[in-house]
Amino acid sequence: MIELPEGSWWDWDVYSWRPGELRLAADHDLSYHHNLELVFADPLYVRCPGFFQDPVFRAPTPEERWSVERQCGEAPGVLVAFEADGGGPEPVSGLIAAASVEVRVGTVLRYAPGGGAK
């Protein structure tokens, strides 16, 4: 299970996804900055909406764990599951398998200095 620090983390998005790293960002409003990141190293499996709100992290089910291990050919270092508001009538489920996950706290601006968009 992921343990988040105290804070207003209701807006979430996929901030960056590049080879070897997936970053989810969170804050009370993602328009200009975020203050929390979950950084997944070497993601093996990702089922995650691009934007979601109020995730509830939970232990993966045995079926989710089995499915990921079957598809990836190995047990991941971390397996994170959650339910969240994805903007539709039903909650969305997320499932991320990776070698490791790091929780980072600190302000990351979402615009470039000088007023241009990032």
Side-chain angles (χ1 to χ4, degrees):
M1 291 281 295
I2 296 278
E3 290 198 31
L4 302 177
E6 296 266 338
S8 302
W9 318 123
W10 55 79
D11 285 349
W12 289 72
D13 70 2
V14 174
Y15 181 67
S16 171
W17 191 350
R18 57 184 187 206
E21 184 181 86
L22 170 69
R23 288 178 185 242
L24 300 183
D27 212 323
H28 67 278
D29 179 359
L30 297 177
S31 299
Y32 302 105
H33 71 290
H34 64 266
N35 282 304
L36 177 73
E37 289 185 350
L38 298 184
V39 182
F40 294 90
D42 298 323
L44 298 168
Y45 179 91
V46 177
R47 183 181 73 217
C48 179
F51 176 81
F52 52 97
Q53 294 180 310
D54 295 324
V56 175
F57 293 95
R58 60 174 174 76
T61 65
E63 293 80 16
E64 288 170 328
R65 185 171 298 282
W66 177 82
S67 177
V68 167
E69 290 176 5
R70 184 177 54 82
Q71 291 183 43
C72 297
E74 62 183 308
V78 296
L79 185 58
V80 174
F82 63 89
E83 305 298 324
D85 178 352
E90 299 292 324
V92 294
S93 294
L95 187 63
I96 301 172
S100 64
V101 63
E102 179 184 355
V103 178
R104 294 185 184 168
V105 178
T107 301
V108 177
L109 300 177
R110 290 186 163 234
Y111 59 88
K118 182 174 178 184

